[in-house]
Amino acid sequence: MEDEKTPQTKQSAQPNGHRSDAIASKLVNLQEKKSSQKKKDKPPAGGHDETPIPNAPPGFTLKFTFHRAVSLPMADINTLSSDPYILAQLNTDLPTRHKQDPQLRFRTPTVRRSTNPVWNCEWVVANVPASGFALKARIYDEDPADHDDRLGNVHVYVNGIGENWEGIKEQEFRIKKRMGSKRAYLVRGCASMFLTNVRLSGTLFMSVELLGETEGDYGGRVWTVGPCAWSQHFSPMIGRLAGTKDPGKDGAAEKYNFQANQFQLEGPVPSSLYHRYVEFKPFVAGMFNSKSLRGRILNRALHHQHSRIYNYDRTTVYGSFPFPSTEMTLKFLDLVHYDRGGRIYTYVITLDGQWRFTETGKEFGIDLLSKHTMHSDVNIYIAYSGEFFVRRLKNPHKSPLEQETHPPVDIEGGPPHAGPPTDPAYYSLVIDNDSGTYRPNAKLLPILKQFMQHNLPGLKIVTLDSQGDAERMAKMKTEQRERKKSEGTHKAYVQDDGESMSSSDEEELDRRAAEVEAGDEGNQKKGKRGLRGWIEGDREREKRETEDDMAIRAGPGG
């Protein structure tokens, strides 16, 4: 009997085993679905970064002055001259929040057709640590039609700063040729055989003045105090492509033009304004890190785009203010044309307070493919980004939210029928966080507002959250666009409206990357040769830059 019961027991247990397996299988599938859903719901990496600034004792405020250079090499064989400018970078031993944080840099304006340029440009930097600094001053020849040639380097090492440090007073530094353009030095060598006043070695004159200890508890980082330099960059070529014109004066014909703007804001930028690019598409990380072939192509293209748009050519207008003032606010209003034309601007604020902005609009459809990425010069970290526009108020003593404004209402005493009032109290700056590239945190808009109020005295600041205030923001921007249609477009630099990277932009990037990687059938070999030369040229420049950086880290004895 036992032998008969045993098989029955085994058989009765078997169905229960199958049922348990089925339940386990369902649980596994359910868990996988939940995990998959979590991945879908999880936002892409990037956006606001809460990493704090490393603690360090307060440092010192220094003023760097780039006076002049003598006997620079000749980059232009036709004029036996150069168009030199200085790109200075300040290195300290202060730790950064992330290794990708951009270096502190300063650029002088370009001096035209001179091998003995005079700049007399000042750069005031706060919180330089007592351990000292290494200043790297690279001198370039600007060439808008090609890449800028390096004319040489100057390295300045200071191993310690104290209250009694005497500084550097208009000292002469020999320009190192090793990193310079071989072509430029060859031209100078040839010229020296025929011209008696050509020297074979150049020098740069600089000063560094100690202004005192930096006030406040900001010891963990260095930043630019001033001056608050501004620049206005024009391009008739892209103006023609965009269809934007500069109205002629005194009956002169209209000319195609567009405009890009930079404004150095007084630091420090609030430490909480710290955002990383968002990986909203798989190729975005490669574009910022320049690791893949495709990413390298896009990164290079955006760097080139930035340098061409913000280059200092003969039409560039620039100036500076020692500190924020009413005059500085009026200059900003002048750069954005006050309340004329219903303009909307795209902007980026860098970690060192460089405010870059250009007009945005649907009428510009060529390949400025990622506006915020281009403005940031493909920096991984920035302070804040979005869009803004300016409106004129009917009553300068009332809140902008409690009265009529232009646009959308026609108000007497200003555009479009009269000149704009020159009192900042009549205007409000409406600024938002509408940036798909960096997606700034809306909770930080009050901090951005305080920072902008400090730098633009007299101007009323209104902030909008691109999500929380989406309906109101859309209404106000529609009013701006309708006003632009009625008043027409004039001197402006515009970019494609909407997302920072649209689907059509992505298709264009795909097309360009595919062309460079494979080449068209008829031009495949040519494309590969061009790509190989491009990459090899990049590698050569990067190698030279790395050698230069290693030399400055090693110090004068390295």
Side-chain angles (χ1 to χ4, degrees), residues 249-278:
K249 297 180 179 180
D250 300 325
E254 292 183 339
K255 295 181 179 179
Y256 286 100
N257 219 337
F258 78 73
Q259 170 190 332
N261 310 277
Q262 293 187 101
F263 227 123
Q264 176 64 55
L265 304 177
E266 185 178 67
V269 173
S271 60
S272 57
L273 300 185
Y274 189 62
H275 293 84
R276 178 184 176 272
Y277 73 89
V278 176

Side-chain angles (χ1 to χ4, degrees), residues 328-547:
M328 177 168 157
T329 304
L330 288 173
K331 173 47 67 176
F332 162 71
L333 289 171
D334 177 61
L335 292 178
V336 297
H337 314 287
Y338 293 87
D339 56 318
R340 295 189 188 101
R343 293 175 170 87
I344 301 173
Y345 292 85
T346 296
Y347 77 91
V348 159
I349 300 175
T350 69
L351 294 180
D352 192 39
Q354 185 79 220
W355 189 18
R356 302 177 184 136
F357 52 93
T358 57
E359 190 178 348
T360 186
K362 291 186 179 299
E363 61 268 60
F364 189 58
I366 65 170
D367 48 10
L368 291 175
L369 296 175
S370 178
K371 50 194 176 186
H372 291 109
T373 310
M374 184 280 296
H375 284 309
S376 73
D377 199 15
V378 208
N379 270 324
I380 291 175
Y381 287 94
I382 63 161
Y384 219 78
S385 61
E387 296 182 345
F388 71 80
F389 50 90
V390 170
R391 290 195 165 184
R392 179 164 49 89
L393 311 177
K394 186 174 183 179
N395 188 334
H397 306 294
K398 290 178 64 176
S399 167
L401 304 178
E402 300 173 354
Q403 60 175 306
E404 294 179 336
T405 65
H406 174 268
V409 180
D410 282 337
I411 300 173
E412 293 183 356
H417 305 298
T422 55
D423 182 354
Y426 276 94
Y427 300 92
S428 68
L429 171 66
V430 184
I431 190 166
D432 63 37
N433 61 336
D434 189 10
S435 169
T437 303
Y438 295 97
R439 300 185 187 178
N441 192 328
K443 294 180 180 178
L444 302 174
L445 282 169
I447 297 175
L448 175 69
K449 179 177 179 178
Q450 292 176 359
F451 181 59
M452 300 307 291
Q453 284 175 329
H454 169 74
N455 276 280
L456 300 172
L459 195 64
K460 296 175 176 63
I461 311 295
V462 176
T463 58
L464 293 175
D465 174 10
S466 61
Q467 294 184 346
D469 301 315
E471 186 175 342
R472 182 179 166 209
M473 186 181 77
K475 178 178 179 293
M476 295 183 77
K477 288 185 178 180
T478 298
E479 292 170 345
Q480 292 293 119
R481 295 183 185 105
E482 290 300 319
R483 176 60 60 168
K484 185 170 184 176
K485 288 180 184 177
S486 64
E487 292 188 10
T489 59
H490 289 294
K491 183 167 54 178
Y493 163 69
V494 289
Q495 288 181 275
D496 193 21
D497 199 11
E499 285 293 322
S500 287
M501 183 84 63
S502 68
S503 59
S504 60
D505 291 338
E506 188 180 345
E507 290 172 4
E508 176 68 7
L509 293 176
D510 288 335
R511 183 186 66 77
R512 289 187 172 204
E515 281 181 2
V516 178
E517 287 178 26
D520 295 327
E521 281 188 24
N523 298 311
Q524 191 169 10
K525 292 183 179 179
K526 182 180 177 182
K528 288 183 177 179
R529 286 197 300 271
L531 175 61
R532 191 181 301 114
W534 185 1
I535 292 176
E536 288 176 356
D538 265 3
R539 285 175 178 166
E540 178 64 23
R541 278 188 289 273
E542 287 175 6
K543 181 181 177 182
R544 293 168 69 186
E545 296 286 345
T546 302
E547 290 175 355

Side-chain angles (χ1 to χ4, degrees), residues 111-128:
V111 177
R112 297 293 161 193
R113 292 196 177 186
S114 178
T115 56
N116 299 294
V118 177
W119 291 286
N120 285 328
C121 286
E122 297 178 349
W123 182 29
V124 181
V125 180
N127 239 5
V128 180

Side-chain angles (χ1 to χ4, degrees), residues 141-388:
D141 168 71
E142 185 167 70
D143 187 355
D146 197 357
H147 69 277
D148 295 350
D149 289 323
R150 182 103 68 92
L151 302 181
N153 301 333
V154 167
H155 294 169
V156 180
Y157 303 93
V158 172
N159 296 321
I161 303 173
E163 293 180 2
N164 299 320
W165 185 59
E166 295 182 355
I168 299 171
K169 299 177 181 178
E170 203 161 341
Q171 187 171 325
E172 184 178 10
F173 295 89
R174 184 173 172 271
I175 297 173
K176 296 180 180 179
K177 305 176 186 178
R178 188 170 65 92
M179 297 295 171
S181 164
K182 294 180 177 64
R183 180 182 65 181
Y185 280 95
L186 177 62
V187 172
R188 186 172 69 176
C190 294
S192 66
M193 294 188 292
F194 303 99
L195 303 174
T196 57
N197 60 343
V198 175
R199 291 167 50 185
L200 290 179
S201 60
T203 54
L204 175 66
F205 290 83
M206 286 178 48
S207 296
V208 185
E209 181 183 354
L210 174 64
L211 301 182
E213 290 189 50
T214 302
E215 297 180 358
D217 188 19
Y218 303 108
R221 56 173 171 161
V222 292
W223 75 85
T224 296
V225 177
C228 299
W230 60 270
S231 57
Q232 195 175 30
H233 309 261
F234 301 99
S235 174
M237 181 187 71
I238 299 182
R240 177 175 290 277
L241 293 170
T244 56
K245 293 185 177 183
D246 183 359
K249 297 180 179 180
D250 300 325
E254 292 183 339
K255 295 181 179 179
Y256 286 100
N257 219 337
F258 78 73
Q259 170 190 332
N261 310 277
Q262 293 187 101
F263 227 123
Q264 176 64 55
L265 304 177
E266 185 178 67
V269 173
S271 60
S272 57
L273 300 185
Y274 189 62
H275 293 84
R276 178 184 176 272
Y277 73 89
V278 176
E279 298 179 34
F280 58 91
K281 293 287 183 181
F283 68 89
V284 172
M287 181 174 70
F288 278 88
N289 296 321
S290 194
K291 290 183 177 179
S292 65
L293 174 63
R294 185 187 187 196
R296 192 181 187 87
I297 294 166
L298 303 182
N299 184 281
R300 171 73 173 167
L302 286 163
H303 273 307
H304 180 76
Q305 200 172 78
H306 177 90
S307 63
R308 293 309 95 192
I309 286 172
Y310 286 104
N311 73 307
Y312 282 71
D313 63 18
R314 290 170 179 80
T315 66
T316 303
V317 184
Y318 56 87
S320 66
F321 299 92
F323 47 79
S325 59
T326 301
E327 290 73 21
M328 177 168 157
T329 304
L330 288 173
K331 173 47 67 176
F332 162 71
L333 289 171
D334 177 61
L335 292 178
V336 297
H337 314 287
Y338 293 87
D339 56 318
R340 295 189 188 101
R343 293 175 170 87
I344 301 173
Y345 292 85
T346 296
Y347 77 91
V348 159
I349 300 175
T350 69
L351 294 180
D352 192 39
Q354 185 79 220
W355 189 18
R356 302 177 184 136
F357 52 93
T358 57
E359 190 178 348
T360 186
K362 291 186 179 299
E363 61 268 60
F364 189 58
I366 65 170
D367 48 10
L368 291 175
L369 296 175
S370 178
K371 50 194 176 186
H372 291 109
T373 310
M374 184 280 296
H375 284 309
S376 73
D377 199 15
V378 208
N379 270 324
I380 291 175
Y381 287 94
I382 63 161
Y384 219 78
S385 61
E387 296 182 345
F388 71 80

Side-chain angles (χ1 to χ4, degrees), residues 62-80:
L62 303 180
K63 181 172 74 173
F64 298 86
T65 304
F66 303 95
H67 297 287
R68 64 190 186 279
V70 177
S71 295
L72 294 179
M74 304 163 184
D76 188 350
I77 193 170
N78 295 319
T79 62
L80 294 181

